[in-house]
Amino acid sequence: MTPSQSLDLPQRENEDLHDLMSRLRRAGEPFSLATVVRTISVTAAKAGAKAVIRADGSIAGGWIGGGCARGAVLKASREALADGETRLVSIQPEELLKDRGVAAGEEKDGIRFASNMCPSQGTMDIFVEPVLPRPSLVILGASPVAIALADLGPRVGFDLTVCAPSEDQGAFAAANERIEGYALPVETTACRYLVVATQGRGDQAALKAAVSVGAEHVAFVGSHRKAESLRAKLLAEGVDPAALDRVKAPAGLDLGAITPEEIALSILAEILRIRRKDQRGNVNETAYA
């Protein structure tokens, strides 16, 4: 599911915004929270009013005023969900905008200005904050590199999914999700980054599972020669060559890493660079995110 799609989660009757946001987070659905932070003169909503806005532009709950505010706030919400950055929207009467020397749609000092065409002619400042699902780091295998990745990944903002045989699950202290073996779910609502770190135990089965599902990145911990050998075997099994072309091997940036912890760090650095490039659209390929 893409970030622009939303789950079928209508607001429940009498559900408050806190419960609504918790439910959307658990479902992995992106949304934004719009909060009225200041009002001047007569406005429909007052400071403190909030609304939860889904990725499709619908208001899932709460209220921040009528049509005078809705268009500008929904636009800011779409942009915030696209780039992960907050927005501050100031909706003012046309005369006040002219006095400030700005036009509707312009941005100045971090404030996006919009025109209030309603008869009330009040001013509303609205803060729009995107709430995005945490990316998922999916580790296949229970090698020393896999264990090091499981330790480091959550520290830099990843939910952790551990895929390993039942007898190896005890090697991992904690995980958001555990899968015995390598049967990965085909669909997910979060961005997913897969690392095959079996290192000699179940390599072929794990790599086949990894290339069979959608993911932002698939990496294999092992040499290029070993990856090519596995590729030949999987091609013989009928695996799509295009799916195998997605695999990055060896995994990680070339940092001269030797220890499992260093290798795990190089893999996370590569994933972070890919993730931030996807968010910003233009990140120097030679720089870290």
Side-chain angles (χ1 to χ4, degrees):
M1 178 172 290
T2 65
S4 62
Q5 295 174 308
S6 69
L7 301 174
D8 186 15
L9 291 174
Q11 187 183 15
R12 298 166 181 168
E13 188 176 0
N14 298 324
E15 182 179 34
D16 65 25
L17 290 188
H18 177 77
D19 291 340
L20 172 61
M21 289 189 291
S22 296
R23 190 160 58 94
L24 293 175
R25 284 194 185 100
R26 289 194 301 270
E29 179 177 349
F31 63 92
S32 64
L33 177 64
T35 304
V36 179
V37 295
R38 185 185 70 140
T39 63
I40 299 176
S41 188
V42 178
T43 57
K46 301 303 178 184
K50 300 177 185 292
V52 173
I53 305 171
R54 303 172 84 160
D56 63 3
S58 63
I59 295 180
W63 190 70
I64 49 169
C68 303
R70 184 183 296 264
V73 173
L74 294 185
K75 180 180 179 182
S77 174
R78 288 192 298 269
E79 294 173 350
L81 290 173
D83 64 16
E85 301 290 336
T86 59
R87 299 288 193 280
L88 181 59
V89 180
S90 185
I91 302 168
Q92 301 183 15
E94 194 71 33
E95 290 185 1
L96 287 182
L97 293 179
K98 290 180 180 179
D99 290 343
R100 289 178 175 270
V102 296
E106 289 186 4
E107 186 169 322
K108 184 177 181 180
D109 298 328
I111 302 172
R112 173 76 58 80
F113 292 94
S115 177
N116 185 354
M117 304 300 292
C118 292
S120 64
Q121 292 294 285
T123 291
M124 294 175 64
D125 291 345
I126 302 172
F127 183 70
V128 180
E129 177 184 8
V131 181
L132 301 170
R134 282 165 59 95
S136 178
L137 175 64
V138 182
I139 302 171
L140 296 89
S143 65
V145 171
I147 294 168
L149 274 170
D151 178 53
L152 292 174
R155 301 188 193 187
V156 291
F158 288 90
D159 279 347
L160 181 64
T161 296
V162 170
C163 305
S166 57
E167 63 269 22
D168 293 332
Q169 290 283 343
F172 300 92
N176 299 94
E177 182 180 4
R178 294 179 184 270
I179 297 174
E180 293 187 3
Y182 308 115
L184 293 168
V186 175
E187 295 185 1
T188 180
T189 57
C191 293
R192 181 163 55 177
Y193 301 85
L194 276 58
V195 181
V196 178
T198 42
Q199 293 187 273
R201 295 183 58 198
D203 294 342
Q204 190 168 332
L207 186 58
K208 183 177 182 179
V211 299
S212 299
V213 300
E216 274 64 37
H217 181 63
V218 180
F220 177 76
V221 179
S223 67
H224 179 72
R225 178 179 295 180
K226 184 174 184 179
E228 284 298 305
S229 174
L230 289 170
R231 175 188 172 88
K233 293 177 181 177
L234 291 176
L235 286 173
E237 289 186 15
V239 175
D240 183 3
L244 292 167
D245 289 343
R246 298 164 46 213
V247 179
K248 169 64 166 52
L253 298 177
D254 185 5
L255 306 180
I258 297 176
T259 69
E261 292 76 17
E262 291 173 348
I263 295 170
L265 181 62
S266 75
I267 294 169
L268 281 174
E270 182 173 54
I271 289 173
L272 285 170
R273 184 174 69 173
I274 293 167
R275 180 187 172 204
R276 298 307 185 193
K277 181 181 179 182
D278 289 343
Q279 286 180 340
R280 299 175 185 175
N282 184 23
V283 173
N284 189 326
E285 287 290 342
T286 63
Y288 300 123

